[in-house]
Amino acid sequence: EALASAFHDQEEELRILQSLMQDQNIRSRSISEEEDRAMESLNALEIDTHTFGEESHLVTKQCSDVMGEIDALSKVQLSSIPFHIDVDWGEGVRTQTVGRYPTINNLRLAYRVNQKAGLGRKEICAAWNQAAQLITFTSGLNPSFSSSNVRIIPLSYPCAKIVFEGQSVHNLGWEALDGEDESPHVPSLSITLFLALLSELSDHIINSSERNGALHASTSPPFPMTMTSIDYVDVTCLRDTDTASWSSVVFCIAVNLRWLSQLVLPSDVRQVII
């Protein structure tokens, strides 16, 4: 009887040990799975860290380039730069084959390249650069003006830059002047932001003229503008493929730029071809 009791106790202890062993195996597997997940998370973190490092390097380089352009801009005497803006064509001045475009300092201001007209990225970028310089110069003549969310950097190669809300940088042209790997037109968002800045600056000048009692007929731009429209065309509704509409928008912008130069720039800087 004592032997049977001892045997029973041994069996009970064995069952307890087996139960503990099973629990230990379950815990061991759970810990192993946790370790696997931790290693996966660590690998993902290392990948994210590497990606962040690369992006940080690119952003730092971009900021350095922008600061360099700002420094270069601060050393340029913009008052010595004339602005010749031509939006009128005499009969037979340009044919439809060559194309008719508004010009600023004899550079054609356009939405897209035109191989038949010999109009390429370099000339378009240079023309928008001149337009950006005109906006910058006019803003400098109105120190009380401050755009709410758009800044322009005209002296940037190969094209002017537009900074939106201090976060995103947009090209007023193309980063690469050669090759066929990019779109044939100026980014529509960049033109939209340029229009927003032009409209905001024009409104500021008009309001200042009203306060100073200097309002006259020529104070209003030829084509009415808002932050998103010109000549009652909402540019946010235009597709990139609407070349004719965008070309019309660019023409209206050129006309209003001429109005702006006539209104605010001194005669030794403004040399407008009419």
Side-chain angles (χ1 to χ4, degrees), residues 142-160:
N142 293 269
S144 60
F145 171 72
S146 177
S147 175
S148 58
N149 53 16
V150 181
R151 287 178 52 247
I152 199 162
I153 305 173
L155 299 180
S156 179
Y157 183 82
C159 62

Side-chain angles (χ1 to χ4, degrees), residues 3-17:
L3 184 61
S5 178
F7 178 75
H8 178 73
D9 292 342
Q10 289 291 329
E11 273 191 330
E12 186 65 25
E13 289 181 6
L14 181 61
R15 280 195 298 270
I16 293 173
L17 288 174

Side-chain angles (χ1 to χ4, degrees), residues 12 33 42 63 88 97 104-105 122 124 132 136 154-155 161 172 176 186-187 198 210 255:
E12 186 65 25
E33 291 174 356
L42 180 61
C63 289
D88 300 307
T97 302
I104 178 167
N105 291 346
K122 291 182 181 180
I124 295 175
T136 301
L155 299 180
K161 309 284 186 183
L172 199 55
V186 176
L198 175 60
E210 290 176 343
V255 173

